[in-house]
Amino acid sequence: MGDEKADVDKILKELETNQSGLTEEEAQKRIDQYGYNEIQEKKENRAIKFFKKFWAPVPWMLEATIVITALLGKYLDTYIILFLLIFNAFVGFFQESKAENAVELLKQKLRVKARVVRSGDWKQIEARILVPGDIIDIRLGDVVPADSVIISGSLEIDQSALTGESVAVSKDRGDTAYSGSIVKRGEALAVVVKTGSATYFGKTTDLIQSAGTKSHIESLIFGIVRDLIILDVILVLITAVYSYFIHIPIQNIIPFILVLLIASIPVALPATFTIAMAYGALDISKKGAIVTRLSAIEDAASMDVLCSDKTGTITKNHLTVADPIALNADEKDLIMYAAFASEVQSDDPIDKAILEYAKARDMMPDFSIRTAFTPFDPSTKRTEAVVKVNGKTMKVAKGAPQIISQLCSMKYDDIMDDVVNLAKRGYRVIAVGAGEDKMHLAGLIPLYDPPRDDSKQLISDLKDLGISVKMVTGDNAPIAEEIGKQVGIEGKTCNIHTDGKFSDECAIYAEVFPEDKFKIVKSLQEEGHITGMTGDGVNDAPALRQAEVGIAVSNATDIAKASASIVLTHEGISDIVEAVREGRRIFQRMLTYTLNKIVKTIQVVVFLTASFFAVHFFVTTPFDIILLLFANDFVTMSIATDNVRYSNKPEKWNVKAMVITSGLIAALLVVEGFIILYTGLYLHFSKNMIHTLIFDMLVFSGLFNVFMVRERGRFWHSKPSRYLMVSILGDIIGISLISALGILVSKIPIYSVLMVLAFAFVWMAFIDTLKNYVFRIYGL
């Protein structure tokens, strides 16, 4: 992480401690001063979460309607609308799958034991009661319990979960071992300098808690409701003025205002969105991706930029030997020497890479002839072994090229060009020396973290879906560019610390600090992008939380998974493509429902207003409109299961285009309503029978409208889902029966019901031609 060595003596003095440790009394005082070595989480009460479901545009409209109906004494209407309000709240609350609390997981990470010296005695305590000034012992396999400066000894530490570095780093006296990193080798005494939220690990949680993005669905619903309210207000004002001139009492107008208000509320919109996304989340989970925040499915449909962490996401986070460069030995001998100088049971990534390479190519040596082995020491930067071959003793060593070249009594300049060129291509280079009396340089072994097998195909598939993939890495630019070329990421490489900007022109962001990932995501969002982020480590967590679509890979840390909105369960990241496709299918279903609702709302409020002007009486009742809500809105929630095709470009909600296109379709449905109205008058139906006739027209035209708007081509081009078909057929049969039998509504002849049904279908087929033209113009 590029930290400078600390002055150990100065730190011990500032913390008023020594190698005998703190006293228990002093430790207790420091707990009071600094707090426990844990993360303070921010939790929201579940009851508050539930009651927030009643504080949004749609609930506001329902609540206003409840008050109006109660004041008018229409208690049945009040109870029905109250039921709808509570139904929406419960669906939203229980269907939404919430991620586990990320901060709680951080606390659990810190609930480990620590070896600490107190008053000269070593003991094991819970890490949560460590304080600055404690002297601790850290050894192989430990999770570092707090940010600590090493006093003596040396360590090899894996801090990839914190920083994204793909190889372990060396730590010795004066270096800082960070909380949450894992000791891979060595042992050291260290003094605790920071605990809890003050640690590097803890500061990540501040970003996680502050990260978050606004739901685009909430913005959509608000935009739709706003436009419908404006339409309502205009029509109410026109009607009130007209009523005044024709001398209709205001008390007779109030029920009509109530009808318009009820008709314009998209009652089932939030519930339908939630159910559709929950249904889609179930489908996605069967294909290897668990959705932890439902709105991420809708966001996945609109995502146009995906930022991907390199280490462990695009790459395997597993060092691999590239093409060895043999100098004073053939390749087989070079690899055998390197294997002799490796620890067979080690977790060291370099040793494992060399031994895997040797085994795969049948170059593994006979370790029984190795008589001595010296493991890696950060101070010497090499491993050594002694081998006895045919009675002769040979010494072999592998390590940093500068060190091995010195052991071989040669100038580093002789191999520097090779080392530098390999480094520019993204390789980490080790040198191998061997010899009896005098060592010679056997060769160089390049190592790199290779891309996952599916990364190139994934990036190609995402490009085909119109998504720009950007790689974000802490590695230097040459390494990042080399990996980018291998996986098909083309474009400008940026170092944000030298370029000074988070431009979306960059295809690769190199030398990125952990906190920069969060800033990059936020910057892209501010430029108008719907942004995704993939990652696997603690260092990725804030960016995963901030992104509209945070995607944690299968081997990610717990905190990364908790911060993400989608967690992959299969190896690799190819499941992202299916998540995007499913998101776009769900978008199409939601677009169908929204278009249908806007069309029906405009049709109802305009037709009821215009018909009042034409015949001077209300052609329906408030109860009929509430019944219409059940007959249409809650049946058409089965749109959430409809068969649809996904788009090959990011989806965007365009409220203006939806309202205009819906208005044009609604205008023709208003004409349909007048044809049915005047037919009823021609047949000398009573006002109550007219109410039922118009009710049937509104129901049937609404159901056939679903058939029309669900298909972007002609309505017969695709088959509806079984659930949608069954629900619509059931609705048609049910409404026909209650109309013919006079249940809940005034009875009308069966022939008039069938007449309305047939005419509604024929009229839909006629409008379908205009729909195709309008949809093409507005890109729906």
Side-chain angles (χ1 to χ4, degrees), residues 210-222:
S210 65
T213 184
K214 184 180 179 182
S215 168
H216 294 278
I217 290 180
E218 289 180 6
S219 300
L220 167 72
I221 294 175
F222 182 78

Side-chain angles (χ1 to χ4, degrees), residues 186-461:
E187 183 173 359
L189 284 183
V191 56
V192 174
V193 292
K194 291 180 180 178
T195 57
S197 297
T199 63
Y200 184 92
F201 191 80
K203 286 178 181 176
T204 302
T205 66
D206 293 333
L207 280 177
I208 293 171
Q209 293 181 108
S210 65
T213 184
K214 184 180 179 182
S215 168
H216 294 278
I217 290 180
E218 289 180 6
S219 300
L220 167 72
I221 294 175
F222 182 78
I224 293 171
V225 171
R226 179 198 60 212
D227 290 347
L228 295 180
I229 289 174
I230 292 172
L231 177 62
D232 266 357
V233 170
I234 292 172
L235 293 177
V236 166
L237 290 175
I238 292 173
T239 304
V241 171
Y242 180 72
S243 301
Y244 173 78
F245 283 109
I246 63 173
H247 307 294
I248 294 180
I250 188 65
Q251 59 266 28
N252 292 347
I253 301 300
I254 291 177
F256 174 74
I257 294 173
L258 183 61
V259 167
L260 292 186
L261 184 60
I262 295 172
S264 63
I265 300 173
V267 174
L269 186 60
T272 305
F273 274 35
T274 302
I275 291 171
M277 289 186 289
Y279 185 86
L282 182 62
D283 271 359
I284 293 174
S285 69
K286 293 175 182 177
K287 297 168 183 174
I290 298 172
V291 178
T292 61
R293 177 171 58 80
L294 287 182
S295 62
I297 299 176
E298 184 256 345
D299 289 329
S302 303
M303 179 175 69
D304 59 344
V305 171
L306 176 67
C307 296
S308 179
D309 179 51
K310 179 184 78 71
T311 305
T313 306
I314 289 179
T315 64
K316 296 178 178 178
N317 196 15
H318 181 83
L319 280 184
T320 301
V321 174
D323 296 327
I325 301 175
L327 298 174
N328 297 306
D330 60 29
E331 182 181 333
K332 184 174 182 179
D333 286 339
L334 170 61
I335 297 301
M336 288 180 65
Y337 295 151
F340 274 129
S342 301
E343 191 171 356
V344 178
Q345 302 300 325
S346 173
D347 281 333
D348 181 85
I350 294 176
D351 286 0
K352 288 175 71 174
I354 288 171
L355 294 172
E356 287 172 2
Y357 187 88
K359 186 176 181 179
R361 287 157 181 76
D362 198 25
M363 297 177 181
M364 191 72 83
D366 179 7
F367 284 96
S368 65
I369 65 174
R370 187 172 72 177
T371 59
F373 176 74
T374 304
F376 182 83
D377 185 337
S379 61
T380 62
K381 300 189 184 301
R382 66 178 183 271
T383 58
E384 297 180 355
V386 177
V387 182
K388 202 164 186 178
V389 184
N390 300 325
K392 295 181 180 180
T393 300
M394 174 182 286
K395 187 176 181 180
V396 295
K398 77 175 193 321
Q402 301 94 319
I403 302 299
I404 301 302
S405 61
Q406 289 177 6
L407 290 177
C408 296
S409 302
M410 63 179 293
K411 293 181 179 180
Y412 173 61
D413 291 349
D414 295 341
I415 59 171
M416 185 173 68
D417 287 344
D418 286 333
V419 173
V420 170
N421 288 333
L422 288 168
K424 286 181 178 178
R425 293 174 55 198
Y427 296 115
R428 178 175 180 175
V429 183
I430 64 166
V432 179
E436 295 176 16
D437 299 324
K438 181 181 178 182
M439 293 183 71
H440 60 271
L441 187 67
L444 303 174
I445 299 181
L447 298 150
Y448 78 117
D449 180 16
R452 289 181 180 271
D453 296 335
D454 59 352
S455 290
K456 186 172 184 178
Q457 184 61 50
L458 165 80
I459 290 166
S460 175
D461 290 344

Side-chain angles (χ1 to χ4, degrees), residues 12-13 15-22 117 120 133-135 151 191:
L12 292 173
K13 184 176 180 180
L15 291 173
E16 298 179 2
T17 188
N18 55 51
Q19 294 197 27
S20 295
L22 303 172
V117 58
D134 268 330
I135 307 299
I151 299 172
V191 56

Side-chain angles (χ1 to χ4, degrees), residues 121-139:
D121 296 325
W122 284 98
K123 59 177 67 177
Q124 195 170 62
I125 64 172
E126 284 190 13
R128 71 184 294 270
I129 60 175
L130 285 176
V131 294
D134 268 330
I135 307 299
I136 59 175
D137 175 56
I138 312 172
R139 61 183 68 166

Side-chain angles (χ1 to χ4, degrees), residues 582-652:
E582 185 61 31
R584 293 184 183 179
R585 292 187 189 101
I586 292 169
F587 182 96
Q588 289 297 316
R589 295 177 186 129
M590 292 300 90
L591 179 60
T592 295
Y593 178 85
T594 307
L595 285 170
N596 179 66
K597 180 57 187 176
I598 297 174
V599 167
K600 288 304 298 177
T601 300
I602 296 175
Q603 174 202 7
V604 170
V605 297
V606 172
F607 171 68
L608 295 183
T609 304
S611 62
F612 173 70
F613 276 65
V615 298
H616 292 184
F617 69 89
F618 301 124
V619 297
T620 189
T621 68
F623 181 79
D624 288 342
I625 295 301
I626 291 174
L627 196 58
L628 177 68
L629 293 178
F630 282 96
N632 273 168
D633 280 27
F634 284 95
V635 168
T636 53
M637 281 198 294
S638 55
I639 290 172
T641 69
D642 195 20
N643 299 320
V644 293
R645 297 180 294 274
Y646 64 84
S647 169
N648 284 323
K649 62 181 181 179
E651 302 280 17
K652 301 290 184 184

